[in-house]
Amino acid sequence: MLSPTSFHGLPAVLLRAADGGRATIVLQGAHLVSWIPAGGAEWLYVSPRSPFRPGEPIRGGVPLVFPQFATYGTLPQHGFARTQGWRVAAESPGGVSFHLESSAATRALWPHDFTAEFAVDVRGDHLGLALQVRNSGARDFAFTAALHTYLSVSDIAAIRLDGLAGGAYVDRANNDAPGRETAASLTVTQEIDRVYTDVAPPLRLTDKSRVLEISQTGFRDCVIWNPGPQRTARMADMEPDGYRRMFAVEAATVAHPATLAPGAAWEGAQSLRQSA
Ligand code: TA6
């Protein structure tokens, strides 16, 4: 069931599944800001210092990064999808999808015609997120994208992530130096900002007694990010110790940009399943 709501003053929708799972999505950016599985607790982090103003990105939840990841291109950081107004396209029991298409505003930044759909599905202990992009223009285009998922954790020092051992990565916190994961389980003791390329899901996040299985399809890369204390201190939209309560595990296509011919479509998905 879908009902209108607001989130810190921003127009949003509340999605409630028959089994009690719920999600809140802000229409600006089709920005998922809350996921509470049936019988569980909040899994997404949102910074209370986010501006919550039209045209400004929310710090947390699941920002939609499209058509450019970070500064890898000439567009604003992380592209424009996260600050555009999306509309509800379809509704089903436990599901909702949102629509965005090219406009004068997007063409001023990126000269391509596209349509994008973002689907959110909530069922029991599961959250499904899927981004579809279609080329509605007459020329090929390439893009990078991500579901920039900020997970809420009890304490960044207490978590571990399994599933990346042996994986190659690009270290964004170290001038994009190449690296390879040597730890059996990833733990976070300082700033981390890595693009793991060609990941083999699922990943498994353990946070004390909570466990989350994280899968992705279509997206070949996975970005792991925590800003650590020094970088957080320079971020106006984070509390000084906010880095301790968040851990971003992002399904992404960064090292492998997607290319679409006219009429062609691409889809990337991330799914989260609470398993304890
Ligand atoms: O995905 C990680 C990252 O690219 C980091 O480098 C960090 O800048 C983060 O995204 C947040 O970006 P934002 O534009 O939301 O401040």
Coordinates of all heavy atoms in Angstrom, one line a residue, residues 66-67 80-81 84 86 99-103 106-107 110 112-117 132-137 141 260:
F66 N 23.5 8.8 -11.2 CA 23.3 8.6 -12.7 C 23.3 10.0 -13.3 O 22.7 10.9 -12.7 CB 21.9 7.9 -13.0 CG 21.6 7.9 -14.4 CD1 22.1 7.0 -15.3 CD2 20.7 8.9 -15.0 CE1 21.8 7.0 -16.7 CE2 20.4 9.0 -16.3 CZ 21.0 8.0 -17.2
P67 N 23.9 10.2 -14.4 CA 24.6 9.3 -15.3 C 26.1 9.4 -15.1 O 26.8 8.9 -16.0 CB 24.2 9.8 -16.7 CG 24.1 11.3 -16.5 CD 23.6 11.5 -15.1
F80 N 23.0 13.9 -11.9 CA 21.9 14.7 -11.5 C 20.6 14.0 -11.1 O 19.7 14.6 -10.6 CB 21.5 15.6 -12.7 CG 21.3 14.9 -14.0 CD1 20.2 14.0 -14.2 CD2 22.2 15.1 -15.1 CE1 20.1 13.3 -15.5 CE2 22.1 14.4 -16.3 CZ 21.0 13.5 -16.5
A81 N 20.6 12.6 -11.2 CA 19.3 11.9 -10.9 C 18.9 12.1 -9.4 O 17.7 12.1 -9.1 CB 19.5 10.4 -11.2
Q84 N 16.8 15.4 -9.1 CA 15.7 15.6 -10.1 C 14.3 15.2 -9.4 O 14.3 14.3 -8.6 CB 15.9 14.8 -11.4 CG 17.0 15.3 -12.2 CD 16.7 16.7 -12.9 OE1 15.6 16.8 -13.5 NE2 17.6 17.6 -12.7
W86 N 11.3 13.0 -9.5 CA 10.8 11.7 -10.1 C 9.3 11.7 -9.9 O 8.8 12.3 -8.9 CB 11.5 10.5 -9.6 CG 12.9 10.4 -9.9 CD1 13.9 11.3 -9.6 CD2 13.6 9.3 -10.5 NE1 15.2 10.8 -10.0 CE2 15.0 9.6 -10.6 CE3 13.1 8.1 -11.0 CZ2 15.9 8.7 -11.1 CZ3 14.1 7.2 -11.6 CH2 15.4 7.5 -11.7
H99 N 9.6 7.2 -12.1 CA 10.0 7.5 -13.5 C 10.7 8.9 -13.6 O 10.2 9.8 -13.0 CB 8.8 7.5 -14.4 CG 9.0 7.8 -15.8 ND1 9.3 6.9 -16.8 CD2 9.0 9.0 -16.5 CE1 9.5 7.5 -17.9 NE2 9.3 8.8 -17.8
L100 N 11.7 8.9 -14.4 CA 12.4 10.2 -14.7 C 12.7 10.1 -16.2 O 13.1 9.1 -16.7 CB 13.7 10.3 -13.9 CG 14.6 11.5 -14.2 CD1 14.0 12.8 -13.7 CD2 16.0 11.3 -13.6
E101 N 12.6 11.2 -16.9 CA 13.1 11.3 -18.3 C 13.8 12.5 -18.6 O 13.7 13.5 -17.8 CB 11.9 11.1 -19.2 CG 10.9 12.2 -19.1 CD 9.6 11.8 -19.9 OE1 9.2 10.6 -19.9 OE2 8.9 12.8 -20.4
S102 N 14.5 12.5 -19.7 CA 15.3 13.7 -20.0 C 14.4 14.9 -20.2 O 13.3 14.8 -20.6 CB 16.1 13.4 -21.3 OG 15.4 12.7 -22.2
S103 N 15.0 16.1 -19.9 CA 14.2 17.3 -19.9 C 15.2 18.4 -20.3 O 16.4 18.1 -20.4 CB 13.7 17.6 -18.5 OG 14.8 17.8 -17.6
T106 N 18.0 18.4 -17.8 CA 19.0 17.3 -17.8 C 19.9 17.5 -19.1 O 21.1 17.3 -19.1 CB 18.4 15.9 -17.8 OG1 17.7 15.7 -19.0 CG2 17.5 15.7 -16.6
R107 N 19.2 17.9 -20.2 CA 19.9 18.1 -21.5 C 21.0 19.2 -21.4 O 22.0 19.2 -22.1 CB 19.0 18.4 -22.6 CG 18.4 17.1 -23.2 CD 17.5 17.3 -24.4 NE 16.3 16.5 -24.3 CZ 15.1 17.0 -24.0 NH1 14.9 18.3 -23.8 NH2 14.1 16.1 -23.9
W110 N 23.7 17.2 -19.8 CA 24.1 15.9 -20.5 C 23.2 15.8 -21.7 O 22.0 15.7 -21.6 CB 23.8 14.8 -19.5 CG 24.4 13.4 -19.8 CD1 25.7 13.2 -20.0 CD2 23.7 12.2 -20.0 NE1 25.9 11.8 -20.2 CE2 24.7 11.2 -20.2 CE3 22.3 11.8 -19.9 CZ2 24.3 9.9 -20.4 CZ3 22.0 10.5 -20.1 CH2 23.0 9.5 -20.3
H112 N 21.7 14.0 -23.8 CA 21.2 12.7 -24.3 C 19.7 12.5 -23.8 O 19.3 13.0 -22.8 CB 22.0 11.5 -23.7 CG 23.4 11.6 -24.2 ND1 23.8 11.3 -25.5 CD2 24.6 11.9 -23.5 CE1 25.1 11.5 -25.5 NE2 25.6 11.8 -24.4
D113 N 19.0 11.8 -24.6 CA 17.6 11.5 -24.3 C 17.5 10.1 -23.7 O 18.0 9.1 -24.2 CB 16.7 11.6 -25.5 CG 16.5 13.0 -26.0 OD1 16.3 13.9 -25.1 OD2 16.6 13.3 -27.2
F114 N 16.8 10.0 -22.5 CA 16.7 8.8 -21.8 C 15.4 8.7 -21.0 O 14.8 9.8 -20.8 CB 17.9 8.6 -20.8 CG 17.8 9.6 -19.6 CD1 17.1 9.3 -18.5 CD2 18.3 10.9 -19.8 CE1 17.0 10.2 -17.4 CE2 18.1 11.8 -18.7 CZ 17.5 11.5 -17.6
T115 N 15.0 7.5 -20.6 CA 14.1 7.4 -19.6 C 14.7 6.5 -18.5 O 15.5 5.6 -18.8 CB 12.7 6.7 -20.1 OG1 13.1 5.4 -20.6 CG2 12.1 7.5 -21.2
A116 N 14.3 6.7 -17.3 CA 14.8 5.9 -16.2 C 13.7 5.5 -15.3 O 12.7 6.3 -15.0 CB 15.8 6.7 -15.4
E117 N 13.7 4.2 -14.8 CA 12.7 3.7 -13.9 C 13.5 3.2 -12.7 O 14.5 2.5 -12.8 CB 11.9 2.5 -14.4 CG 11.2 2.8 -15.8 CD 10.0 3.7 -15.7 OE1 9.3 3.7 -14.6 OE2 9.7 4.4 -16.6
Q132 N 16.4 1.0 -14.0 CA 16.5 0.7 -15.5 C 16.7 2.0 -16.2 O 16.0 3.0 -15.9 CB 15.2 0.0 -15.9 CG 15.3 -0.5 -17.3 CD 14.0 -1.0 -17.9 OE1 13.2 -0.2 -18.3 NE2 13.8 -2.3 -17.9
V133 N 17.6 2.0 -17.2 CA 17.8 3.1 -18.0 C 17.6 2.7 -19.5 O 18.1 1.7 -19.9 CB 19.3 3.7 -17.9 CG1 19.5 4.9 -18.8 CG2 19.5 4.0 -16.4
R134 N 16.9 3.5 -20.2 CA 16.6 3.3 -21.6 C 17.1 4.5 -22.5 O 16.9 5.6 -22.1 CB 15.1 3.0 -21.9 CG 14.8 2.6 -23.3 CD 13.3 2.3 -23.4 NE 12.9 1.2 -22.6 CZ 13.1 -0.1 -23.0 NH1 13.6 -0.4 -24.2 NH2 12.7 -1.1 -22.2
N135 N 17.7 4.2 -23.6 CA 18.1 5.2 -24.5 C 16.9 5.6 -25.4 O 16.5 4.8 -26.3 CB 19.3 4.8 -25.3 CG 19.9 5.8 -26.3 OD1 19.2 6.8 -26.5 ND2 21.1 5.6 -26.8
S136 N 16.3 6.7 -25.2 CA 15.2 7.1 -26.0 C 15.6 8.1 -27.1 O 14.8 8.8 -27.7 CB 14.1 7.7 -25.1 OG 14.6 8.8 -24.4
G137 N 16.9 8.3 -27.3 CA 17.4 9.2 -28.3 C 17.9 8.5 -29.6 O 17.6 7.3 -29.8
F141 N 24.8 6.3 -26.1 CA 25.5 7.0 -25.0 C 26.0 6.1 -24.0 O 25.6 4.9 -23.9 CB 24.5 8.1 -24.3 CG 23.3 7.5 -23.6 CD1 23.4 6.8 -22.5 CD2 22.0 7.9 -24.1 CE1 22.2 6.3 -21.9 CE2 20.9 7.5 -23.5 CZ 21.0 6.7 -22.4
L260 N 24.6 2.3 -24.2 CA 23.3 2.0 -24.8 C 23.1 2.5 -26.2 O 23.3 3.7 -26.4 CB 22.2 2.5 -23.9 CG 21.9 1.8 -22.5 CD1 20.8 2.6 -21.8 CD2 21.6 0.4 -22.8

